[in-house]
Amino acid sequence: MWMLARLRPRPWIVNPISPSVSIVLAVHNGAALLPRKIEHLLGLDYPGIKEIIIVSDGSTDGTVELLASQRHSRLTTVILDEHSGKAVAVNAGVAKATADVILFVDIRPEIAPGAIQQLVSNFADPKVGCVAGELILRTGSHDDAPRLSAGSTGI
């Protein structure tokens, strides 16, 4: 599919729209990075973020306790007792999602200002069912967070 999209690109409609967004983050043993990630997600500039769903996939490093201590109206946690893998954790998050659009994120990348608005604008075209951002790696240490930029592709 990727090759076909590259060989025969089809233009699509991009217009400013404001659907509600559920953010889903699946994490296994992410206690060290999770406080910063939660702060980042709660501070995003898109006004239509309905909920942030964080799924702990059998974490044993204090992630569960950290999530239990979080109090925010948009934050929902799902705790899986056993490590079942990312696909199971993501599906558990999707089952809780109630917004128009689901945004999947990982614990390290940060979302650039304006990126969510640009991503959702691709859904103005009813033929678009999936959109991906561009991951830009920063130079520096391994712990520097990559950034999801506003460049996007509709599929």
Side-chain angles (χ1 to χ4, degrees):
M1 183 158 235
W2 177 85
M3 182 64 96
L4 182 60
R6 293 292 176 223
L7 293 174
R8 294 181 16 180
R10 245 182 22 212
W12 63 93
I13 299 166
V14 177
N15 282 319
I17 59 172
S18 299
S20 61
V21 173
S22 293
I23 297 175
V24 174
L25 168 64
V27 62
H28 173 72
N29 289 342
L33 299 174
L34 204 48
R36 178 177 166 183
K37 186 63 171 193
I38 291 170
E39 182 180 338
H40 172 71
L41 293 175
L42 289 171
L44 289 171
D45 63 352
Y46 184 74
I49 296 173
K50 185 174 186 180
E51 58 204 355
I52 299 165
I53 303 163
I54 302 176
V55 182
S56 172
D57 180 24
S59 297
T60 58
D61 69 340
T63 296
V64 173
E65 293 78 12
L66 191 147
L67 289 173
S69 72
Q70 297 296 310
R71 300 284 182 253
H72 194 281
S73 60
R74 290 187 301 160
L75 190 62
T76 301
T77 60
V78 177
I79 308 301
L80 302 179
D81 293 329
E82 295 184 22
H83 182 54
S84 302
K86 186 169 185 174
V88 171
V90 166
N91 285 335
V94 168
K96 294 283 188 181
T98 61
D100 300 322
V101 173
I102 300 173
L103 174 64
F104 300 102
V105 298
D106 286 323
I107 199 161
R108 278 196 144 91
E110 293 181 354
I111 299 170
I116 296 175
Q117 181 60 58
Q118 187 163 354
L119 288 170
V120 300
S121 69
N122 291 278
F123 290 112
D125 189 329
K127 294 177 185 170
V128 172
C130 178
V131 178
E134 179 180 1
L135 184 65
I136 299 173
L137 299 176
R138 296 180 184 165
T139 57
S141 76
H142 176 70
D143 290 331
D144 285 347
R147 181 173 286 266
L148 178 65
S149 80
S152 61
T153 302
I155 298 174

